[in-house]
Amino acid sequence: MQQVAVAAALLTVVACKPPPDDRTSLSADAAERGKAVIERVSCGSCHAIPGIDWPRGGAAPSLEDFDDVGLIAGALPNTPGNLAAFVRDAPAAKPGSTMPPMPITAAEAEDVAAYLYGMNDE
Amino acid sequence: MNKGAASGIMEALWGWPPPVFDPAGPYASSVTTLAWVLLALGVAVTGIVIAALYVAIKGPERWRKKLGGEKAVWIGGIAFPAVVLTGLLIWGLALTASLTEPIRGREARVRVTGEMWWFRVEYLDPAGRVIVRDANELHLPLDRPVVLELRSADVVHSIWIPHLSGKMDMVPGRINQLRVEASRTGRFGGVCAEYCGGPHALMGFVTQVHEAADYDRWLAARAARQAQPVAAGATPGRPGAVVRDPAEPQRYDPALGWTLFRDTGCAACHRIAGTEANGLAGPDLTHVGSRLSLGAGILPNHRGTMIGWIADSQSIKPGNRMPSYDRLSAEELGHIAAFLEAQK
């Protein structure tokens, strides 16, 4: 009986593991490219983002400690795939989102996600 | 959506070759040539001084005597500087005169007024009447000289487009003239080059050079839009300019954005031709949807930056004269941005 309980407890732990596209696959190169995209598009017009000195707009949530946030925009599990989809076309990824679609490609969106995850890796 | 580079300021000051060494027109070329000559002379004089110092300390007795003699002072101390500096003075004055030469005939005329902290841009017809009002960007025809009529509305500013010409101050109560001409098409950044208060470092603009025929068409289209009579009721914008994103069906409504724009008081400072919005304190927004930058050459122009600027411009450009409209909801900001995007 006890064994079953332990196994059940283990199963819950296993179920909580991050999805297969986990964060370790994100490269430093991608993060570097992502930073350039963030600067070009000026995500900072609305968000304060670590590593981006200017602008640090206050219209939308700060992205400090973003990699520790559980849900993107309070709705989507915080995975690289979801994040890339969200930063490119937020209203499609989360209907009702007030963040507008961004003029970036899907590949650029993945780089932006890599940057947003990599920024607090100390 | 405009996918252009973020910042006219970065375009003016950054890159390789550095913009000051990369002239894109005859006026900038003459300034760059003078700069190279000054550098070469400076290097030569420094070399001569170092050589003389070496001779004075370690050289043979005979040379040291010569160097300390009266003749050396007459030649090296008086004749050489007098000749070189007089030559440079004449060159410099002639160059400045060519940059500031008044209108002779076929030049395009644009009045640029420095404001805290943006550039008001007005295109003039040959009689000097304003035909197009714009802000923070300058459109130029290829290979045709353009005379900028420079004014200031408040404090001293200075306009500098390193690729196209020298710097020229914009002084209150005075009209200065500066000639610019581009011999290649493209986009060139510009900045305010005289400290003018708080957000001075965020006061830039963008220059776009068009083929001459394209420029004429562009100017004629803009002049026609600006001359549009005031129509009550209708949502302003060029007919057919309102393109809705199919992925986002009708979510943001330009017509509602126009109502919000009017009711929020935007029109007190901003003009949109053909509407009752006729405020002149801030930049004219008749063509804001096709603007190459937002916030005076500092942000790219797309839905996101437009919303961010309206909602909280004080975080982006602290001290600028537009308040942060944080009392508008995200939905309302979306409607206003959709409306402004349609103002091409």
Side-chain angles (χ1 to χ4, degrees):
Chain A
M1 193 61 201
Q2 209 175 0
Q3 276 172 341
V4 173
V6 168
L10 273 176
L11 256 180
T12 14
V13 171
V14 170
C16 284
K17 268 179 83 171
D21 57 341
D22 77 18
R23 295 168 187 190
T24 52
S25 66
L26 300 166
S27 75
D29 281 357
E32 200 55 40
R33 289 196 302 272
K35 188 178 184 192
V37 172
I38 287 172
E39 284 172 342
R40 192 193 81 219
V41 180
S42 200
C43 305
S45 299
C46 293
H47 299 280
I49 303 168
I52 307 287
D53 296 334
W54 178 90
R56 294 173 72 79
S62 161
L63 303 184
E64 301 279 350
D65 298 325
F66 182 78
D67 50 358
D68 293 332
V69 168
L71 295 174
I72 300 164
L76 306 167
N78 194 355
T79 65
N82 280 345
L83 183 56
F86 185 83
V87 296
R88 177 148 187 253
D89 193 350
K94 180 202 163 191
S97 170
T98 49
M99 172 165 148
M102 289 292 132
I104 58 177
T105 65
E108 287 171 333
E110 284 170 21
D111 293 341
V112 169
Y115 180 78
L116 293 178
Y117 285 132
M119 50 195 193
N120 290 325
D121 264 0
E122 70 278 348
Chain B
M1 276 183 193
N2 179 348
K3 288 175 83 175
S7 164
I9 293 169
M10 285 299 279
E11 285 171 9
L13 304 176
W14 204 251
W16 195 262
V20 279
F21 292 125
D22 182 29
Y27 297 109
S29 284
S30 60
V31 175
T32 306
T33 307
L34 179 60
W36 278 118
V37 169
L38 287 178
L39 182 66
L41 281 170
V43 169
V45 168
T46 308
I48 292 170
V49 169
I50 289 171
L53 196 63
Y54 181 81
V55 168
I57 296 168
K58 296 203 154 177
E61 184 66 24
R62 201 165 56 86
W63 288 29
R64 281 160 63 182
K65 260 218 172 80
K66 268 199 168 158
L67 192 61
E70 202 174 306
K71 206 173 157 198
V73 174
W74 275 106
I75 294 173
I78 295 174
F80 177 75
V83 169
V84 170
L85 294 181
T86 306
L88 285 176
L89 181 66
I90 293 169
W91 187 357
L93 290 175
L95 176 59
T96 312
S98 79
L99 292 180
T100 58
E101 200 184 341
I103 293 172
R104 277 175 308 200
R106 57 187 283 276
E107 301 96 332
R109 289 175 66 183
V110 185
R111 180 186 298 154
V112 184
T113 307
E115 310 247 356
M116 290 158 105
W117 289 268
W118 58 284
F119 293 93
R120 185 189 299 276
V121 178
E122 292 161 312
Y123 296 79
L124 308 179
D125 68 6
R129 286 178 300 235
V130 175
I131 50 171
V132 173
R133 295 170 206 262
D134 206 354
N136 302 322
E137 66 192 42
L138 188 57
H139 293 256
L140 302 173
L142 185 67
D143 290 329
R144 205 192 289 170
V146 175
V147 176
L148 303 182
E149 189 184 306
L150 303 175
R151 300 166 182 240
S152 169
D154 33 51
V155 299
V156 178
H157 302 275
S158 179
I159 191 168
W160 189 32
I161 316 163
H163 282 105
L164 296 182
S165 197
K167 280 178 201 166
M168 181 60 77
D169 279 0
M170 311 167 106
V171 183
R174 222 191 119 86
I175 300 174
N176 284 339
Q177 288 185 319
L178 179 70
R179 284 176 169 258
V180 296
E181 183 176 337
S183 48
R184 63 176 199 251
T185 55
R187 224 178 114 137
F188 306 106
V191 291
C192 175
E194 185 74 43
Y195 180 72
C196 56
H200 156 72
L202 294 175
M203 177 172 169
F205 67 103
V206 180
T207 307
Q208 178 76 47
V209 182
H210 306 268
E211 299 283 351
D214 292 343
Y215 173 80
D216 291 338
R217 269 195 300 275
W218 174 91
L219 190 63
R222 287 222 159 168
R225 167 70 187 89
Q226 294 251 341
Q228 209 168 295
V230 175
T235 304
R238 239 189 242 169
V242 179
V243 181
R244 290 200 172 87
D245 186 345
E248 199 194 355
Q250 310 280 322
R251 195 161 155 250
Y252 292 118
D253 180 4
L256 187 49
W258 163 235
T259 309
L260 285 162
F261 181 91
R262 229 177 20 196
D263 297 350
T264 311
C266 309
C269 293
H270 295 289
R271 170 179 177 267
I272 293 177
T275 74
E276 63 258 50
N278 58 3
L280 292 176
D284 189 299
L285 298 183
T286 307
H287 306 288
V288 73
S290 58
R291 201 94 96 206
L292 300 168
S293 74
L294 291 182
I298 59 172
L299 299 176
N301 183 6
H302 55 74
R303 175 82 57 94
T305 51
M306 183 72 87
I307 289 174
W309 176 264
I310 299 168
D312 195 12
S313 72
Q314 291 299 328
S315 290
I316 299 169
K317 187 165 171 171
N320 91 82
R321 295 262 159 95
M322 174 158 158
S324 289
Y325 282 85
D326 43 12
R327 66 173 179 275
L328 292 170
S329 72
E331 292 290 330
E332 289 170 327
L333 289 163
H335 293 306
I336 293 175
F339 162 68
L340 292 174
E341 273 169 24
Q343 309 307 311
K344 299 284 188 186

